[in-house]
Amino acid sequence: MAHLLQTTFLPSSSPLIRRNQTYILRISGSRTRVNAKIREIFMPALSSTMTEGKIVSWVRSEGDKLCKGESVVVVESDKADMDVETFYDGYLAKIMVDEGGVASVGSAIALLAESEDEIAEAQAKAAASGSPSSPAPETSNSAAVVAAVPHPQPEKVKLAEPAAVTVGSAVHPASEGGKRIVASPYAKKLAKELKVELARVVGSGPKGRIVAKDVEAAAAAAAAGPAAAAAGPAASVAAAGPAGIELASVVPFTTMQGAVSRNMVESLAVPTFRVGYTITTDALDALYKKIKSKGVTMTALLAKATALALVQHPVVNSSCRDGNSFIYNSSINIAVAVAVDGGLITPVLQDADKADIYTLSRKWKELVDKARAKLLQPHEYNTGTFTLSNLGMFGVDRFDAILPPGTGAIMAVGASEPTVVATKDGRIGMKNQMQVNVTADHRVIYGADLASFLQTLAKIIEDPRDLTF
Protein backbone atom coordinates (compact mmCIF):
# COMPACT_ATOMS: atom_id res chain seq x y z
CA MET A 1 0.00 0.00 0.00
CA ALA A 2 1.49 3.30 -1.04
CA HIS A 3 1.90 6.15 1.43
CA LEU A 4 1.18 9.72 0.64
CA LEU A 5 1.78 12.42 3.20
CA GLN A 6 5.00 14.41 3.25
CA THR A 7 5.62 17.81 4.80
CA THR A 8 8.08 20.54 3.80
CA PHE A 9 8.35 23.50 6.18
CA LEU A 10 10.67 26.49 5.78
CA PRO A 11 11.24 28.72 8.83
CA SER A 12 10.20 32.37 8.43
CA SER A 13 12.65 35.18 8.99
CA SER A 14 10.91 36.30 12.19
CA PRO A 15 11.83 34.79 15.58
CA LEU A 16 10.06 31.51 16.25
CA ILE A 17 8.06 30.96 19.44
CA ARG A 18 7.37 27.29 20.11
CA ARG A 19 3.73 27.75 21.15
CA ASN A 20 2.79 29.85 18.10
CA GLN A 21 5.13 28.62 15.41
CA THR A 22 4.55 29.99 11.92
CA TYR A 23 6.15 28.50 8.80
CA ILE A 24 6.11 29.05 5.07
CA LEU A 25 4.35 26.14 3.33
CA ARG A 26 4.89 25.49 -0.37
CA ILE A 27 1.62 24.88 -2.21
CA SER A 28 1.92 24.06 -5.94
CA GLY A 29 4.75 26.49 -6.59
CA SER A 30 3.51 29.33 -4.35
CA ARG A 31 4.39 30.18 -0.76
CA THR A 32 1.79 30.72 1.96
CA ARG A 33 2.19 31.36 5.68
CA VAL A 34 0.26 28.72 7.60
CA ASN A 35 0.21 27.11 11.01
CA ALA A 36 2.70 24.25 11.41
CA LYS A 37 -0.14 21.83 12.10
CA ILE A 38 -1.44 22.11 8.54
CA ARG A 39 0.27 19.63 6.24
CA GLU A 40 0.41 19.20 2.49
CA ILE A 41 -0.70 15.96 0.88
CA PHE A 42 1.60 15.31 -2.06
CA MET A 43 1.06 13.25 -5.20
CA PRO A 44 3.14 10.12 -4.43
CA ALA A 45 5.49 8.32 -6.79
CA LEU A 46 3.89 4.88 -7.05
CA SER A 47 6.46 3.45 -9.46
CA SER A 48 9.98 4.24 -10.65
CA THR A 49 8.66 5.49 -14.01
CA MET A 50 5.76 7.57 -12.71
CA THR A 51 6.02 11.33 -13.37
CA GLU A 52 2.38 12.32 -12.79
CA GLY A 53 -0.76 10.76 -11.39
CA LYS A 54 -4.47 11.07 -12.01
CA ILE A 55 -7.00 11.30 -9.20
CA VAL A 56 -9.47 8.47 -9.80
CA SER A 57 -11.55 9.20 -6.70
CA TRP A 58 -11.33 10.73 -3.25
CA VAL A 59 -12.31 8.12 -0.69
CA ARG A 60 -12.93 10.81 1.92
CA SER A 61 -14.56 14.25 1.66
CA GLU A 62 -13.44 17.67 2.85
CA GLY A 63 -13.96 17.97 6.59
CA ASP A 64 -13.74 14.22 7.23
CA LYS A 65 -11.62 13.03 10.15
CA LEU A 66 -8.73 10.79 9.06
CA CYS A 67 -6.81 8.19 11.03
CA LYS A 68 -3.23 7.17 10.38
CA GLY A 69 -3.08 4.32 7.83
CA GLU A 70 -6.54 5.06 6.42
CA SER A 71 -7.10 5.21 2.64
CA VAL A 72 -7.70 8.77 1.49
CA VAL A 73 -7.53 8.81 -2.31
CA VAL A 74 -7.33 6.43 -5.26
CA VAL A 75 -4.55 7.42 -7.66
CA GLU A 76 -3.99 6.09 -11.16
CA SER A 77 -0.28 5.55 -11.71
CA ASP A 78 1.28 4.51 -15.00
CA LYS A 79 0.57 0.84 -14.18
CA ALA A 80 -2.32 0.51 -11.73
CA ASP A 81 -4.94 2.21 -9.59
CA MET A 82 -3.81 2.29 -5.97
CA ASP A 83 -5.38 3.28 -2.66
CA VAL A 84 -3.13 5.74 -0.88
CA GLU A 85 -2.92 6.03 2.91
CA THR A 86 -2.24 8.91 5.28
CA PHE A 87 0.73 9.00 7.62
CA TYR A 88 -1.07 11.24 10.14
CA ASP A 89 -4.29 11.68 12.08
CA GLY A 90 -6.20 14.84 11.23
CA TYR A 91 -8.93 16.37 9.07
CA LEU A 92 -9.05 16.55 5.27
CA ALA A 93 -9.18 20.35 5.10
CA LYS A 94 -8.96 21.10 1.40
CA ILE A 95 -8.98 19.00 -1.79
CA MET A 96 -6.80 20.85 -4.29
CA VAL A 97 -7.03 18.42 -7.22
CA ASP A 98 -10.49 17.10 -8.02
CA GLU A 99 -11.37 13.66 -9.35
CA GLY A 100 -10.17 13.35 -12.92
CA GLY A 101 -7.46 15.95 -12.34
CA VAL A 102 -3.79 15.25 -13.03
CA ALA A 103 -0.89 16.35 -10.81
CA SER A 104 2.87 15.97 -11.06
CA VAL A 105 4.64 13.71 -8.59
CA GLY A 106 5.50 15.75 -5.48
CA SER A 107 2.92 18.48 -6.07
CA ALA A 108 0.22 19.24 -3.51
CA ILE A 109 -3.18 17.63 -4.04
CA ALA A 110 -4.78 18.40 -0.64
CA LEU A 111 -4.23 19.92 2.79
CA LEU A 112 -4.50 18.07 6.10
CA ALA A 113 -5.35 19.95 9.30
CA GLU A 114 -4.43 18.50 12.67
CA SER A 115 -7.52 19.86 14.39
CA GLU A 116 -11.04 20.72 13.28
CA ASP A 117 -10.46 24.37 14.23
CA GLU A 118 -7.75 24.69 11.58
CA ILE A 119 -9.92 23.55 8.63
CA ALA A 120 -11.21 27.03 7.84
CA GLU A 121 -7.72 28.49 8.13
CA ALA A 122 -6.31 25.89 5.74
CA GLN A 123 -9.08 26.55 3.21
CA ALA A 124 -8.53 30.30 3.44
CA LYS A 125 -4.79 29.94 2.99
CA ALA A 126 -5.27 27.61 -0.01
CA ALA A 127 -7.67 30.10 -1.60
CA ALA A 128 -5.26 32.96 -0.98
CA SER A 129 -2.43 31.03 -2.63
CA GLY A 130 -4.36 30.98 -5.90
CA SER A 131 -4.35 27.18 -6.15
CA PRO A 132 -7.94 26.14 -6.64
CA SER A 133 -8.93 22.57 -7.13
CA SER A 134 -7.93 21.29 -10.56
CA PRO A 135 -11.11 20.46 -12.44
CA ALA A 136 -11.62 17.23 -14.28
CA PRO A 137 -10.94 17.65 -18.01
CA GLU A 138 -14.06 18.75 -19.88
CA THR A 139 -13.72 17.40 -23.43
CA SER A 140 -16.00 15.57 -25.76
CA ASN A 141 -14.06 12.39 -25.07
CA SER A 142 -13.78 12.76 -21.28
CA ALA A 143 -16.24 9.96 -20.56
CA ALA A 144 -14.29 7.54 -22.72
CA VAL A 145 -11.00 8.51 -21.15
CA VAL A 146 -12.36 8.00 -17.63
CA ALA A 147 -13.85 4.66 -18.59
CA ALA A 148 -10.43 3.44 -19.68
CA VAL A 149 -9.09 3.61 -16.11
CA PRO A 150 -11.82 2.43 -13.72
CA HIS A 151 -11.01 1.60 -10.12
CA PRO A 152 -11.83 -2.12 -9.80
CA GLN A 153 -14.96 -3.20 -7.94
CA PRO A 154 -17.29 -6.19 -8.21
CA GLU A 155 -19.89 -4.00 -9.99
CA LYS A 156 -18.21 -2.09 -12.80
CA VAL A 157 -19.85 0.70 -14.75
CA LYS A 158 -19.32 0.24 -18.48
CA LEU A 159 -20.03 3.25 -20.64
CA ALA A 160 -20.51 1.02 -23.67
CA GLU A 161 -23.61 -0.42 -21.94
CA PRO A 162 -25.21 2.60 -20.25
CA ALA A 163 -28.45 0.76 -19.49
CA ALA A 164 -26.66 -1.10 -16.72
CA VAL A 165 -25.73 2.09 -14.89
CA THR A 166 -28.99 2.79 -13.06
CA VAL A 167 -30.88 0.61 -10.62
CA GLY A 168 -34.51 1.45 -9.98
CA SER A 169 -35.46 -0.31 -6.78
CA ALA A 170 -32.25 -1.62 -5.24
CA VAL A 171 -30.79 0.15 -2.21
CA HIS A 172 -27.45 1.69 -3.11
CA PRO A 173 -24.51 -0.23 -1.58
CA ALA A 174 -23.01 3.00 -0.23
CA SER A 175 -26.23 4.35 1.23
CA GLU A 176 -26.01 2.71 4.68
CA GLY A 177 -29.49 1.24 4.61
CA GLY A 178 -30.90 4.05 2.48
CA LYS A 179 -30.20 6.80 5.05
CA ARG A 180 -27.15 8.41 3.47
CA ILE A 181 -25.68 8.32 -0.03
CA VAL A 182 -21.89 8.19 -0.06
CA ALA A 183 -20.45 10.14 -2.97
CA SER A 184 -17.32 12.17 -3.62
CA PRO A 185 -17.61 15.97 -3.48
CA TYR A 186 -17.01 16.34 -7.19
CA ALA A 187 -19.59 13.64 -7.95
CA LYS A 188 -22.19 15.54 -5.92
CA LYS A 189 -21.36 18.78 -7.71
CA LEU A 190 -21.52 17.06 -11.08
CA ALA A 191 -24.85 15.42 -10.22
CA LYS A 192 -26.40 18.83 -9.56
CA GLU A 193 -25.07 20.21 -12.84
CA LEU A 194 -26.25 17.23 -14.88
CA LYS A 195 -29.47 16.80 -12.89
CA VAL A 196 -28.70 13.20 -11.98
CA GLU A 197 -30.45 11.60 -8.99
CA LEU A 198 -27.65 10.07 -6.90
CA ALA A 199 -30.03 7.60 -5.25
CA ARG A 200 -30.37 5.85 -8.62
CA VAL A 201 -26.65 5.66 -9.40
CA VAL A 202 -24.55 2.58 -8.64
CA GLY A 203 -21.08 3.57 -7.43
CA SER A 204 -17.89 1.97 -8.71
CA GLY A 205 -15.57 3.53 -6.12
CA PRO A 206 -14.27 1.93 -2.92
CA LYS A 207 -17.10 0.26 -0.95
CA GLY A 208 -19.64 1.38 -3.54
CA ARG A 209 -18.82 5.07 -3.27
CA ILE A 210 -20.19 7.15 -6.15
CA VAL A 211 -17.46 8.91 -8.14
CA ALA A 212 -17.58 11.37 -11.03
CA LYS A 213 -17.49 8.80 -13.81
CA ASP A 214 -20.58 7.08 -12.36
CA VAL A 215 -22.54 10.33 -12.57
CA GLU A 216 -21.30 10.96 -16.12
CA ALA A 217 -22.30 7.44 -17.13
CA ALA A 218 -25.76 7.85 -15.58
CA ALA A 219 -26.25 11.16 -17.40
CA ALA A 220 -25.12 9.59 -20.67
CA ALA A 221 -27.53 6.70 -20.15
CA ALA A 222 -30.43 9.06 -19.51
CA ALA A 223 -29.62 11.10 -22.61
CA ALA A 224 -29.02 8.06 -24.80
CA GLY A 225 -32.46 6.54 -24.12
CA PRO A 226 -34.68 9.17 -25.82
CA ALA A 227 -32.09 9.93 -28.49
CA ALA A 228 -31.81 6.29 -29.51
CA ALA A 229 -35.59 5.93 -29.71
CA ALA A 230 -35.90 9.04 -31.89
CA ALA A 231 -32.99 8.36 -34.22
CA GLY A 232 -33.61 4.65 -34.62
CA PRO A 233 -31.11 1.78 -34.49
CA ALA A 234 -29.58 2.49 -37.89
CA ALA A 235 -28.49 6.01 -36.89
CA SER A 236 -26.85 4.82 -33.67
CA VAL A 237 -24.89 2.14 -35.53
CA ALA A 238 -23.65 4.70 -38.05
CA ALA A 239 -22.48 7.12 -35.32
CA ALA A 240 -20.23 4.62 -33.55
CA GLY A 241 -17.46 2.39 -34.78
CA PRO A 242 -16.69 -1.18 -33.70
CA ALA A 243 -17.09 -1.86 -29.97
CA GLY A 244 -18.44 1.63 -29.30
CA ILE A 245 -15.41 3.44 -30.73
CA GLU A 246 -16.16 6.95 -31.93
CA LEU A 247 -14.54 7.17 -35.35
CA ALA A 248 -12.44 10.21 -36.30
CA SER A 249 -12.10 11.14 -32.61
CA VAL A 250 -8.79 12.17 -31.02
CA VAL A 251 -8.16 10.17 -27.85
CA PRO A 252 -5.40 11.25 -25.43
CA PHE A 253 -3.15 8.61 -23.92
CA THR A 254 -4.14 7.13 -20.60
CA THR A 255 -1.47 7.28 -17.90
CA MET A 256 -0.51 3.68 -18.68
CA GLN A 257 -0.31 4.30 -22.43
CA GLY A 258 1.87 7.33 -21.78
CA ALA A 259 4.25 5.23 -19.69
CA VAL A 260 4.42 2.53 -22.36
CA SER A 261 5.14 5.20 -24.97
CA ARG A 262 8.01 6.66 -22.93
CA ASN A 263 9.49 3.22 -22.25
CA MET A 264 9.39 2.26 -25.92
CA VAL A 265 11.13 5.47 -26.94
CA GLU A 266 13.74 4.95 -24.21
CA SER A 267 14.43 1.43 -25.47
CA LEU A 268 15.56 2.86 -28.84
CA ALA A 269 18.73 4.09 -27.13
CA VAL A 270 19.80 0.51 -26.35
CA PRO A 271 21.80 -1.39 -29.04
CA THR A 272 19.90 -4.64 -29.49
CA PHE A 273 20.11 -7.71 -31.70
CA ARG A 274 17.83 -10.68 -32.31
CA VAL A 275 18.32 -14.43 -32.48
CA GLY A 276 15.64 -16.94 -33.50
CA TYR A 277 15.37 -20.65 -32.71
CA THR A 278 12.95 -23.45 -33.60
CA ILE A 279 11.94 -25.78 -30.75
CA THR A 280 10.00 -29.05 -31.00
CA THR A 281 7.12 -29.04 -28.50
CA ASP A 282 5.62 -32.55 -28.75
CA ALA A 283 6.79 -33.56 -25.27
CA LEU A 284 5.78 -30.21 -23.74
CA ASP A 285 2.33 -30.42 -25.35
CA ALA A 286 1.87 -33.94 -23.98
CA LEU A 287 2.91 -32.83 -20.47
CA TYR A 288 0.53 -29.87 -20.62
CA LYS A 289 -2.43 -32.08 -21.58
CA LYS A 290 -1.56 -34.40 -18.70
CA ILE A 291 -1.40 -31.74 -15.94
CA LYS A 292 -3.72 -29.05 -17.34
CA SER A 293 -6.60 -30.35 -15.23
CA LYS A 294 -4.55 -29.56 -12.11
CA GLY A 295 -4.57 -25.86 -12.94
CA VAL A 296 -1.24 -25.71 -14.76
CA THR A 297 -1.01 -23.11 -17.53
CA MET A 298 1.20 -23.10 -20.61
CA THR A 299 2.51 -19.68 -19.57
CA ALA A 300 3.74 -21.14 -16.28
CA LEU A 301 5.40 -24.04 -18.12
CA LEU A 302 7.22 -21.66 -20.48
CA ALA A 303 8.23 -19.40 -17.59
CA LYS A 304 9.57 -22.36 -15.61
CA ALA A 305 11.51 -23.71 -18.60
CA THR A 306 12.99 -20.28 -19.26
CA ALA A 307 13.98 -19.83 -15.61
CA LEU A 308 15.74 -23.20 -15.50
CA ALA A 309 17.67 -22.29 -18.65
CA LEU A 310 18.65 -18.92 -17.16
CA VAL A 311 20.14 -20.69 -14.13
CA GLN A 312 22.76 -22.09 -16.50
CA HIS A 313 23.24 -18.81 -18.40
CA PRO A 314 23.28 -15.96 -15.83
CA VAL A 315 24.57 -13.39 -18.34
CA VAL A 316 21.24 -13.60 -20.21
CA ASN A 317 19.55 -12.72 -16.89
CA SER A 318 21.83 -9.71 -16.34
CA SER A 319 21.10 -6.04 -16.99
CA CYS A 320 22.93 -2.82 -17.83
CA ARG A 321 21.50 0.41 -16.45
CA ASP A 322 24.25 3.05 -16.65
CA GLY A 323 26.12 2.09 -19.82
CA ASN A 324 29.34 1.55 -17.87
CA SER A 325 28.65 -1.67 -15.97
CA PHE A 326 26.16 -4.49 -15.66
CA ILE A 327 24.80 -6.62 -12.86
CA TYR A 328 24.29 -10.37 -12.58
CA ASN A 329 20.85 -10.41 -11.01
CA SER A 330 20.64 -12.60 -7.93
CA SER A 331 17.03 -13.65 -8.60
CA ILE A 332 15.38 -15.02 -11.72
CA ASN A 333 12.14 -13.08 -12.03
CA ILE A 334 10.20 -13.81 -15.20
CA ALA A 335 8.02 -10.92 -16.37
CA VAL A 336 5.23 -11.89 -18.79
CA ALA A 337 3.52 -9.31 -20.99
CA VAL A 338 -0.25 -9.08 -20.51
CA ALA A 339 -2.62 -6.92 -22.55
CA VAL A 340 -5.03 -4.97 -20.34
CA ASP A 341 -7.68 -2.39 -21.08
CA GLY A 342 -5.83 0.74 -22.13
CA GLY A 343 -2.30 -0.62 -22.27
CA LEU A 344 0.21 -3.33 -21.46
CA ILE A 345 1.70 -4.56 -18.19
CA THR A 346 4.22 -7.24 -17.23
CA PRO A 347 3.33 -9.13 -14.04
CA VAL A 348 6.38 -10.84 -12.54
CA LEU A 349 6.76 -14.46 -11.46
CA GLN A 350 9.46 -14.00 -8.83
CA ASP A 351 12.07 -16.73 -8.25
CA ALA A 352 10.48 -18.77 -11.03
CA ASP A 353 13.37 -21.25 -10.98
CA LYS A 354 12.65 -22.21 -7.36
CA ALA A 355 8.84 -22.49 -7.34
CA ASP A 356 7.13 -25.72 -8.40
CA ILE A 357 4.91 -25.63 -11.49
CA TYR A 358 1.67 -25.83 -9.51
CA THR A 359 2.56 -22.91 -7.24
CA LEU A 360 3.78 -20.97 -10.25
CA SER A 361 0.49 -21.54 -12.10
CA ARG A 362 -1.60 -20.42 -9.12
CA LYS A 363 0.56 -17.34 -8.73
CA TRP A 364 0.24 -16.53 -12.42
CA LYS A 365 -3.55 -16.69 -12.33
CA GLU A 366 -3.56 -14.40 -9.29
CA LEU A 367 -1.26 -11.89 -11.01
CA VAL A 368 -3.35 -11.81 -14.19
CA ASP A 369 -6.55 -11.23 -12.21
CA LYS A 370 -4.89 -8.38 -10.30
CA ALA A 371 -3.41 -6.90 -13.49
CA ARG A 372 -6.76 -6.77 -15.25
CA ALA A 373 -8.36 -5.27 -12.15
CA LYS A 374 -5.47 -2.74 -11.90
CA LEU A 375 -4.57 -3.96 -8.41
CA LEU A 376 -0.92 -4.95 -8.92
CA GLN A 377 1.56 -3.58 -6.40
CA PRO A 378 4.82 -2.08 -7.78
CA HIS A 379 6.95 -5.07 -6.80
CA GLU A 380 4.59 -7.29 -8.79
CA TYR A 381 5.31 -5.59 -12.11
CA ASN A 382 8.66 -3.76 -11.95
CA THR A 383 11.05 -6.43 -10.65
CA GLY A 384 11.41 -8.58 -13.78
CA THR A 385 14.89 -9.65 -14.87
CA PHE A 386 13.84 -11.44 -18.09
CA THR A 387 10.64 -10.92 -20.09
CA LEU A 388 8.37 -13.28 -22.04
CA SER A 389 5.89 -12.12 -24.67
CA ASN A 390 3.64 -14.89 -25.98
CA LEU A 391 1.33 -14.35 -28.96
CA GLY A 392 1.11 -18.04 -29.78
CA MET A 393 -2.43 -18.28 -28.46
CA PHE A 394 -3.49 -15.90 -31.25
CA GLY A 395 -1.97 -18.09 -33.94
CA VAL A 396 1.03 -15.80 -34.50
CA ASP A 397 3.90 -18.00 -35.66
CA ARG A 398 6.77 -15.52 -35.12
CA PHE A 399 7.41 -11.92 -34.14
CA ASP A 400 10.02 -9.68 -32.54
CA ALA A 401 9.59 -7.97 -29.17
CA ILE A 402 10.99 -4.61 -28.02
CA LEU A 403 13.42 -4.80 -25.10
CA PRO A 404 12.00 -3.25 -21.90
CA PRO A 405 14.33 -0.63 -20.39
CA GLY A 406 16.50 -1.92 -17.54
CA THR A 407 16.49 -5.58 -18.62
CA GLY A 408 18.90 -7.66 -20.66
CA ALA A 409 16.60 -9.73 -22.86
CA ILE A 410 13.01 -10.45 -23.91
CA MET A 411 11.79 -13.59 -25.67
CA ALA A 412 8.93 -13.56 -28.18
CA VAL A 413 7.09 -16.91 -28.31
CA GLY A 414 5.10 -17.96 -31.37
CA ALA A 415 2.46 -20.65 -31.83
CA SER A 416 3.29 -24.36 -31.80
CA GLU A 417 2.24 -25.75 -35.18
CA PRO A 418 2.42 -29.14 -36.94
CA THR A 419 5.46 -29.04 -39.21
CA VAL A 420 6.81 -31.49 -41.77
CA VAL A 421 10.40 -32.34 -40.81
CA ALA A 422 13.14 -34.72 -41.86
CA THR A 423 13.90 -37.39 -39.25
CA LYS A 424 17.37 -38.58 -38.33
CA ASP A 425 16.97 -41.75 -40.40
CA GLY A 426 16.23 -39.73 -43.53
CA ARG A 427 12.47 -40.10 -43.50
CA ILE A 428 9.81 -37.42 -43.46
CA GLY A 429 7.78 -36.97 -40.30
CA MET A 430 5.43 -34.54 -38.54
CA LYS A 431 6.32 -32.66 -35.38
CA ASN A 432 4.88 -29.72 -33.45
CA GLN A 433 7.33 -26.86 -33.48
CA MET A 434 7.38 -23.25 -32.26
CA GLN A 435 9.57 -20.32 -33.13
CA VAL A 436 11.12 -18.18 -30.39
CA ASN A 437 12.96 -14.92 -31.05
CA VAL A 438 15.09 -13.27 -28.37
CA THR A 439 15.90 -9.55 -28.40
CA ALA A 440 18.93 -8.74 -26.23
CA ASP A 441 21.08 -5.83 -25.07
CA HIS A 442 24.28 -6.20 -27.11
CA ARG A 443 26.29 -4.19 -24.59
CA VAL A 444 26.12 -7.15 -22.22
CA ILE A 445 24.87 -10.20 -24.12
CA TYR A 446 26.50 -11.51 -27.29
CA GLY A 447 25.35 -13.84 -30.06
CA ALA A 448 27.10 -16.89 -28.63
CA ASP A 449 25.46 -16.27 -25.24
CA LEU A 450 21.97 -16.32 -26.74
CA ALA A 451 22.72 -19.31 -28.96
CA SER A 452 23.90 -21.33 -25.97
CA PHE A 453 20.91 -20.23 -23.87
CA LEU A 454 18.44 -21.21 -26.62
CA GLN A 455 20.06 -24.63 -27.01
CA THR A 456 19.60 -25.22 -23.26
CA LEU A 457 15.99 -24.00 -23.42
CA ALA A 458 15.25 -26.32 -26.33
CA LYS A 459 16.63 -29.32 -24.42
CA ILE A 460 14.46 -28.51 -21.39
CA ILE A 461 11.30 -28.10 -23.49
CA GLU A 462 11.94 -31.18 -25.63
CA ASP A 463 12.55 -33.28 -22.47
CA PRO A 464 10.37 -31.47 -19.87
CA ARG A 465 10.65 -33.91 -16.95
CA ASP A 466 12.43 -31.30 -14.80
CA LEU A 467 9.50 -28.89 -15.11
CA THR A 468 7.31 -30.85 -12.69
CA PHE A 469 9.93 -31.26 -9.97
Side-chain angles (χ1 to χ4, degrees):
M1 184 70 68
H3 294 292
L4 178 61
L5 295 177
Q6 302 179 40
T7 310
T8 304
F9 297 116
L10 301 176
S12 66
S13 56
S14 59
L16 298 181
I17 303 175
R18 184 173 184 82
R19 195 169 286 184
N20 294 305
Q21 293 181 356
T22 301
Y23 293 89
I24 296 175
L25 176 63
R26 294 189 181 276
I27 303 179
S28 299
S30 62
R31 287 154 54 111
T32 305
R33 299 175 69 85
V34 299
N35 190 285
K37 293 181 181 179
I38 298 173
R39 295 184 169 93
E40 275 186 326
I41 299 178
F42 290 136
M43 173 63 72
L46 302 178
S47 73
S48 59
T49 58
M50 179 176 169
T51 58
E52 62 181 24
K54 181 177 181 179
I55 304 297
V56 177
S57 65
W58 284 95
V59 180
R60 306 305 299 271
S61 303
E62 287 185 1
D64 285 356
K65 181 173 175 57
L66 306 178
C67 297
K68 182 178 179 181
E70 183 178 6
S71 293
V72 179
V73 62
V74 179
V75 173
E76 177 196 1
S77 71
D78 52 1
K79 299 293 184 182
D81 291 356
M82 299 183 69
D83 289 287
V84 183
E85 299 175 349
T86 173
F87 278 147
Y88 303 96
D89 294 336
Y91 292 84
L92 184 57
K94 177 64 177 176
I95 292 175
M96 302 173 69
V97 180
D98 285 328
E99 293 173 358
V102 176
S104 300
V105 169
S107 64
I109 60 175
L111 293 179
L112 183 76
E114 185 170 312
S115 70
E116 199 168 3
D117 296 336
E118 294 167 320
I119 294 177
E121 181 184 356
Q123 292 177 341
K125 296 298 183 180
S129 71
S131 301
S133 299
S134 301
E138 297 290 340
T139 67
S140 59
N141 300 319
S142 61
V145 174
V146 174
V149 287
H151 189 63
Q153 289 296 327
E155 293 186 67
K156 258 188 179 179
V157 175
K158 299 181 180 179
L159 298 189
E161 300 174 1
V165 173
T166 58
V167 177
S169 59
V171 175
H172 189 277
S175 65
E176 297 181 1
K179 297 179 181 178
R180 173 175 172 261
I181 294 175
V182 181
S184 68
Y186 183 61
K188 293 177 181 177
K189 177 183 177 183
L190 200 60
K192 289 182 180 180
E193 294 175 357
L194 300 178
K195 297 181 180 179
V196 172
E197 187 180 349
L198 288 177
R200 297 178 61 84
V201 178
V202 176
S204 64
K207 298 181 180 178
R209 178 185 175 90
I210 298 173
V211 295
K213 64 178 181 179
D214 302 327
V215 177
E216 291 173 339
S236 62
V237 171
I245 296 174
E246 184 181 348
L247 301 180
S249 62
V250 178
V251 182
F253 279 165
T254 64
T255 309
M256 180 181 288
Q257 288 170 328
V260 171
S261 176
R262 290 190 298 272
N263 286 341
M264 295 303 95
V265 172
E266 182 182 344
S267 71
L268 295 177
V270 178
T272 59
F273 72 106
R274 296 164 180 82
V275 175
Y277 204 92
T278 301
I279 302 176
T280 299
T281 63
D282 289 325
L284 182 67
D285 294 338
L287 175 62
Y288 176 57
K289 289 180 181 178
K290 182 179 178 181
I291 60 179
K292 180 181 178 180
S293 61
K294 299 179 181 179
V296 175
T297 65
M298 180 57 76
T299 297
L301 285 169
L302 291 172
K304 180 69 173 179
T306 302
L308 292 179
L310 289 172
V311 171
Q312 301 181 45
H313 303 275
V315 70
V316 184
N317 191 51
S318 64
S319 57
C320 174
R321 298 182 182 274
D322 59 5
N324 298 311
S325 61
F326 69 98
I327 181 171
Y328 286 108
N329 291 302
S330 58
S331 299
I332 297 178
N333 300 333
I334 306 297
V336 185
V338 173
V340 295
D341 185 22
L344 178 75
I345 197 166
T346 51
V348 177
L349 289 166
Q350 298 182 352
D351 295 316
D353 57 316
K354 300 174 183 176
D356 65 80
I357 193 62
Y358 304 103
T359 302
L360 212 58
S361 294
R362 289 193 297 271
K363 183 62 177 178
W364 176 243
K365 184 180 184 304
E366 175 190 332
L367 288 171
V368 170
D369 290 343
K370 292 177 72 173
R372 289 178 176 158
K374 302 190 75 174
L375 290 174
L376 287 176
Q377 297 298 306
H379 71 276
E380 294 176 317
Y381 60 76
N382 64 11
T383 55
T385 59
F386 185 97
T387 306
L388 287 180
S389 181
N390 182 9
L391 293 180
M393 71 284 289
F394 299 109
V396 176
D397 59 355
R398 67 185 65 197
F399 68 102
D400 289 327
I402 299 176
L403 182 67
T407 60
I410 180 173
M411 185 165 70
V413 181
S416 177
E417 298 179 335
T419 308
V420 176
V421 297
T423 61
K424 292 182 179 179
D425 58 3
R427 298 182 181 182
I428 294 178
M430 185 77 71
K431 292 185 178 180
N432 289 327
Q433 293 186 328
M434 71 177 182
Q435 178 80 19
V436 297
N437 293 328
V438 181
T439 302
D441 184 344
H442 213 331
R443 297 173 299 178
V444 181
I445 303 168
Y446 304 137
D449 298 322
L450 279 191
S452 181
F453 162 75
L454 288 170
Q455 285 179 336
T456 301
L457 178 65
K459 289 178 182 177
I460 293 172
I461 290 177
E462 290 170 3
D463 183 12
R465 289 175 293 182
D466 290 343
L467 297 183
T468 53
F469 291 154

